[in-house]
Amino acid sequence: MFKPIHFEVSERKVLLRIIDVIVVLGALDVVGTVFDLDYFIINQQQWLWSVILAVYLLFFATVFELYNLQRASRITGTLRSAVTTGSVTSLVYLLTPFFTPVLPENRIQILYFYLAVTLSLLLWRAIYIKFFASSRFNKNIILIVDASDAEMIAKSLQVVDPNYKISGFINTGPAMASGHFVGLKELVIKEAIDLFESRLITEVVVASNDAEGITSNLYRWLIELVEKGYSVREYTQVYEEMTDRVPVQYVGKDFYKYFPFARNNHNRLYLVYHRLFDLIISLLGICTCFLMMPFVFTGNLIGNRGSLFYTQERVGINRKLFKIWKFRTMVKNAEKSGAQFAVKNDVRITKFGKFLRAARIDEFPQFWNILKGDMSVIGPRPERKVFVEQLSEKIPFYETRHVIKPGLTGWAQVKTKYGITDEDHLRKLQYDLYYIKNRSVFLDIRILVKTLSTVIFFKGQ
């Protein structure tokens, strides 16, 4: 029996990007050859234009979330994103003749170009949903975990990747009490060995915090699996790779093992780039803010009827307090009853304020904070001191957010929504810590592209 094939989350994203480009360029070349349309054909003279088209395609496919695997596995979400991506990519390519070929005299070629890009993308994504996102590519694993944690850990993995199937677990903790339902089959080592020999299982994920629970027999079996070429991985590593979050609720007190912050915060070249980038973007943002000021002033005068700017004390790097600037979006005396988190459909937010928040325009005055050095373009969002104190008591490692400057946008902001419950704030912290641990030029670019998607689709709150 052949070993089952499974694509990891990162592998599927790479696969989608590569085949998106191949399919679109291939379709254009075929259409150009069949209909003798010189605008498309990829040859020695026009290869550079194909590279530019590929860059446009990958950029807009990212902006319109074609590489969001949950969306990519649903036909409705994929249809909408593919059509939008094909349309915008074609439009930008056609309207940038400085980088791309001059528009053809025969305008029918433009229609053929658009149809070739969009229809080929739709056809390939339909094939992906039918075959690559189907159960035939499931990854079947066994968990090594305490019975009390088994269900929670299994759900945390399957929510991210529906093709990740937990076939059972080996209990490393106390025996389950009578009537306790885990939702997974408990296995003994002999049963697990049989599953591997039948090629039904391809990986073991160790999620036990109790070293004593890993018996000598279990440890010996895990070593044998590694020697035979099977994958044995630690849960926090798997979780981080799949979710782009750090599972702080599972880390315990060994934060130094999971958060090698020194690697990121002492890279001088990266820090110099980061500050130069902040200065350039803040100057551009301040200029844009001045251009928008008459519009915001008029809207505020009619819709908000109060002061244009709003300032508030926030906690910055090393827990240092600073004053953050925003365009006001709430009614006067919005917190007369005391400090409270903003929530969905918050009655304190005015109608004009809702628009400012949805378009992220209310954040533009914070470019002044970035220029001063209180904030960065990218980083964890700064919170108020009272909320930091409350959340630090409930959520482990919450104070760790303050080892870098807070940001105008961040990994948590583009990956999840406003925090309302403690669970929401825990999720945001997981994303923030992932950024602090892994921040790099590439991750910064990903955040900026996703921020652009947030603004375009009015996802701000």
Side-chain angles (χ1 to χ4, degrees):
M1 185 180 292
F2 293 105
K3 184 178 179 180
I5 299 173
H6 173 80
F7 293 101
E8 302 290 352
V9 170
S10 58
E11 291 172 338
R12 262 182 282 165
K13 289 182 179 180
V14 171
L15 176 74
L16 287 172
R17 286 181 168 89
I18 291 173
I19 301 187
D20 280 353
V21 172
I22 292 174
V23 164
V24 169
L25 294 182
L28 287 172
D29 194 54
V30 169
V31 171
T33 302
V34 171
F35 294 99
D36 194 23
L37 304 174
D38 57 351
Y39 189 69
F40 316 151
I41 297 175
I42 303 170
N43 53 35
Q44 203 167 16
Q45 289 75 37
Q46 298 186 177
W47 68 269
L48 182 58
W49 293 335
S50 301
V51 174
I52 292 170
L53 177 61
V55 171
Y56 285 166
L57 176 66
L58 293 174
F59 176 77
F60 289 115
T62 303
V63 169
F64 296 116
E65 299 187 332
L66 265 179
Y67 304 121
N68 179 321
L69 294 183
Q70 279 72 32
R71 177 185 286 265
S73 299
R74 299 192 301 267
I75 189 64
T76 52
T78 295
L79 176 65
R80 186 165 53 249
S81 294
V83 170
T84 307
T85 299
S87 302
V88 176
T89 300
S90 301
L91 182 65
V92 173
Y93 185 82
L94 293 166
L95 296 182
T96 53
F98 181 79
F99 302 105
T100 57
V102 177
L103 292 177
E105 293 182 5
N106 182 4
R107 300 306 188 197
I108 193 65
Q109 292 197 55
I110 295 176
L111 177 61
Y112 281 127
F113 179 89
Y114 168 71
L115 290 176
V117 171
T118 305
L119 294 181
S120 62
L121 202 55
L122 282 171
L123 178 61
W124 146 236
R125 286 314 187 98
I127 293 172
Y128 171 81
I129 292 171
K130 178 65 176 177
F131 295 101
F132 294 95
S134 67
S135 60
R136 63 173 55 86
F137 289 100
N138 282 351
K139 184 172 190 175
N140 298 303
I141 73 162
I142 288 175
L143 286 175
I144 308 294
V145 64
D146 292 359
S148 57
D149 295 329
E151 187 175 15
M152 179 272 292
I153 288 176
K155 285 182 178 179
S156 71
L157 296 175
Q158 290 177 316
V159 163
V160 182
D161 186 355
N163 294 110
Y164 212 79
K165 301 301 180 184
I166 316 296
S167 298
F169 75 99
I170 295 177
N171 187 16
T172 57
M176 289 184 292
S178 177
H180 179 74
F181 179 72
V182 174
L184 294 173
K185 181 180 180 181
E186 184 176 355
L187 305 170
V188 296
I189 295 179
K190 178 62 172 63
E191 291 173 317
I193 291 173
D194 291 340
L195 288 173
F196 270 96
E197 288 180 349
S198 62
R199 296 284 185 171
L200 296 175
I201 303 296
T202 57
E203 182 174 284
V204 171
V205 174
V206 181
S208 176
N209 276 326
D210 185 6
E212 295 181 359
I214 308 292
T215 63
S216 57
N217 286 339
L218 180 56
Y219 182 76
R220 192 180 306 113
W221 175 62
L222 293 175
I223 293 297
E224 289 175 359
L225 287 178
V226 173
E227 291 172 346
K228 292 177 180 179
Y230 288 104
S231 176
V232 177
R233 297 203 289 167
E234 200 267 331
Y235 167 69
T236 54
Q237 174 196 1
V238 174
Y239 184 89
E240 189 172 326
E241 288 178 1
M242 291 175 63
T243 65
D244 294 331
R245 307 201 307 259
V246 173
V248 290
Q249 77 278 26
Y250 190 80
V251 165
K253 298 180 180 179
D254 300 327
F255 76 95
Y256 57 85
K257 178 180 176 183
Y258 301 96
F259 310 145
F261 297 129
R263 180 187 66 189
N264 309 87
N265 296 320
H266 293 89
N267 185 327
R268 292 187 179 276
L269 184 61
Y270 175 77
L271 294 177
V272 169
Y273 139 77
H274 211 270
R275 184 54 186 157
L276 285 175
F277 177 76
D278 285 347
L279 290 173
I280 294 169
I281 296 298
S282 62
L283 290 171
L284 291 173
I286 288 171
C287 292
T288 305
C289 188
F290 275 117
L291 292 175
M292 292 190 304
M293 197 80 77
F295 163 73
V296 178
F297 178 78
T298 304
N300 180 73
L301 200 63
I302 299 171
N304 290 348
R305 300 179 182 178
S307 58
L308 179 62
F309 293 103
Y310 178 73
T311 61
Q312 198 175 68
E313 204 171 58
R314 299 287 179 99
V315 180
I317 187 171
N318 299 327
R319 295 180 293 280
K320 181 181 177 182
L321 298 178
F322 72 98
K323 186 178 291 186
I324 196 173
W325 287 79
K326 300 179 71 173
F327 286 127
R328 196 168 64 83
T329 58
M330 290 190 176
V331 297
K332 292 180 180 179
N333 302 318
E335 294 190 326
K336 58 185 178 182
S337 301
Q340 53 186 295
F341 288 110
V343 297
K344 187 176 182 180
N345 300 321
D346 199 321
V347 294
R348 299 172 300 162
I349 302 174
T350 66
K351 289 184 178 179
F352 184 64
K354 287 181 180 178
F355 166 75
L356 293 179
R357 288 188 173 220
R360 293 288 181 95
I361 294 174
D362 64 315
E363 311 283 2
F364 269 73
Q366 289 165 43
F367 284 113
W368 172 244
N369 291 114
I370 296 171
L371 186 64
K372 287 171 58 184
D374 295 328
M375 292 175 58
S376 180
V377 173
I378 300 172
R381 283 297 290 166
E383 280 290 0
R384 298 167 66 177
K385 184 180 179 182
V386 60
F387 295 147
V388 170
E389 291 173 349
Q390 292 173 7
L391 294 171
S392 296
E393 293 179 359
K394 301 176 183 177
I395 303 175
F397 311 115
Y398 192 82
E399 288 279 6
T400 312
R401 301 170 78 252
H402 305 126
V403 300
I404 65 172
K405 288 181 183 178
L408 180 64
T409 185
W411 195 227
Q413 278 60 55
V414 300
K415 297 289 282 186
T416 189
K417 299 188 180 296
Y418 261 156
I420 300 174
T421 65
D422 290 344
E423 185 177 345
D424 294 334
H425 288 291
L426 172 61
R427 178 182 291 266
K428 289 183 66 177
L429 176 64
Q430 291 176 331
Y431 283 119
D432 285 333
L433 294 181
Y434 179 87
Y435 174 73
I436 295 171
K437 178 180 177 182
N438 299 285
R439 62 183 185 147
S440 63
V441 175
F442 178 70
L443 184 54
D444 288 346
I445 292 172
R446 288 180 66 189
I447 293 171
L448 291 174
V449 171
K450 285 182 175 291
T451 300
L452 181 60
S453 174
T454 300
V455 173
I456 289 174
F457 288 113
F458 281 76
K459 294 180 182 177
Q461 297 183 68

